[in-house]
Amino acid sequence: MSTPLIQYTLLFECHADYFECHEVLEEAWQDGGRQDLGYAALIQYAVAHYHARRGNMAGAKKSIAALQQKLGLAATELEGHGIDVDAFAKDLGRWPLPETLPLDNPTRQRIERLKPTFEPTTLTFDELVHKHIYRDRTPVVNERLRALEARKKARR
């Protein structure tokens, strides 16, 4: 059984697809009523990697600084997902950012067993770097328009 964290980790370590890492955990975080602060922290970590790879060092460092501020609040959930929180805190101070996640031993063993079965990416490096440009934003735009209409009706 694949959990959102397993998907995130395989995408992170096998494909370096930080944009998709964000998407996987964003969906799980939203489905859980935005309660899992561990997911929120890992989303922010993927965002920092995405910014760094695109050369937006200010954005990457801002994401890391915000994550460092929230790490204590997310520690319990991160540990529950198999993250070694002490190692994660140290990784947040490293530059460049590490390309693997600091997992506890059982989670690391599970990931290593799954890596050979994970499909290779078909994306080019340019597509990974600029993935946000290539995505279909129609559902997001439609949801924003729907919410705007709902707010207008509520004011009437």
Side-chain angles (χ1 to χ4, degrees), residues 3 5 10 15 24 46-47 52 57 63 74 76 96 99 118 122 125 134 140-141 151:
T3 67
L5 184 79
L10 290 170
H15 293 178
V24 165
V47 168
M57 296 309 156
S63 292
T76 300
E99 296 178 7
F118 196 62
T122 59
F125 182 74
Y134 300 111
V140 174
V141 171
R151 284 193 303 273

Side-chain angles (χ1 to χ4, degrees), residues 36-137:
D36 191 320
L37 297 178
Y39 282 168
L42 291 169
I43 290 167
Q44 199 158 20
Y45 194 56
V47 168
H49 276 78
Y50 191 73
H51 283 311
R53 184 170 56 205
R54 296 189 76 246
N56 178 2
M57 296 309 156
K61 290 181 179 191
K62 183 177 177 182
S63 292
I64 292 298
L67 179 51
Q68 288 170 321
Q69 295 278 330
K70 300 173 192 170
L71 189 58
L73 297 172
T76 300
E77 286 96 342
L78 285 166
E79 286 174 353
H81 293 306
I83 301 294
D84 178 332
V85 176
D86 291 335
F88 191 52
K90 289 176 187 169
D91 283 354
L92 295 177
R94 293 175 53 199
W95 203 260
L97 295 169
E99 296 178 7
T100 59
L101 294 170
L103 304 173
D104 62 26
N105 287 334
T107 307
R108 173 55 61 201
Q109 289 173 3
R110 184 173 182 197
I111 290 298
E112 294 305 321
R113 281 192 309 273
L114 291 171
K115 278 184 176 181
T117 68
F118 196 62
E119 292 291 322
T121 185
T122 59
L123 299 176
T124 66
F125 182 74
D126 187 61
E127 289 169 326
L128 281 172
V129 170
H130 304 294
K131 196 165 189 179
H132 69 285
I133 295 171
Y134 300 111
R135 70 181 172 165
D136 178 10
R137 303 224 353 113

